[in-house]
Amino acid sequence: MKEGHYVAGLGARPGVGADDIVALLRAVLPAGVRRLAVPVFRSGEIGILHAAEVLGLEIAWIAAEALAERQKDCMSHSARAQVAVGFSSVAEGCALAGAGVGSTIVVPKQVGRNVTCAVAVSGGD
């Protein structure tokens, strides 16, 4: 994989359980990922908080503006997500926003039970 700082982006349905998140993240995250980027509109989700604690990941809450700004750079888009939350690519958008300017997707959207994940790497800043 590329050199740089890796960030996992998370998309989740309301009420997602920690077990669903942990299962997907353990299956797809490359070594060295320490930050989980999550949309601020999911900040009340106990499952997300618990999963991050179990995995030892820092949570970066991604504002709607930052998520909107990175939509054009995402590899996958979902009409269902667009209708549900106003963004067509939550996991990839969060990963990119969390990794910063010049970041790119290195693990495209992966789908689990009630959750999606993607990984971005920083541009080397």
Side-chain angles (χ1 to χ4, degrees):
M1 294 188 97
K2 290 174 65 173
E3 294 283 335
H5 177 72
Y6 293 95
V7 176
L10 191 75
R13 290 190 178 161
V16 65
D19 291 345
D20 291 341
I21 298 167
V22 169
L24 179 61
L25 294 180
R26 283 190 172 149
V28 304
L29 288 188
V33 174
R34 298 286 176 252
R35 178 175 288 170
L36 183 62
V38 182
V40 75
F41 60 79
R42 291 286 183 246
S43 63
E45 294 290 338
I46 300 302
I48 293 171
L49 300 173
H50 183 66
E53 184 179 330
V54 166
L55 296 170
L57 298 173
E58 168 192 336
I59 297 178
W61 297 107
I62 305 301
E65 297 81 17
L67 183 53
E69 197 172 285
R70 295 307 301 259
Q71 292 297 290
K72 67 186 180 320
D73 303 316
C74 296
M75 300 170 71
S76 66
H77 297 275
S78 163
R80 182 176 172 177
Q82 180 69 46
V83 169
V85 296
F87 299 99
S88 65
S89 188
V90 177
E92 290 180 358
C94 282
L96 290 165
V101 175
S103 59
T104 57
I105 295 291
V106 292
V107 177
K109 180 176 83 172
Q110 304 294 304
V111 179
R113 185 172 178 255
N114 299 312
V115 64
T116 59
C117 175
V119 179
V121 64
S122 66
D125 303 3

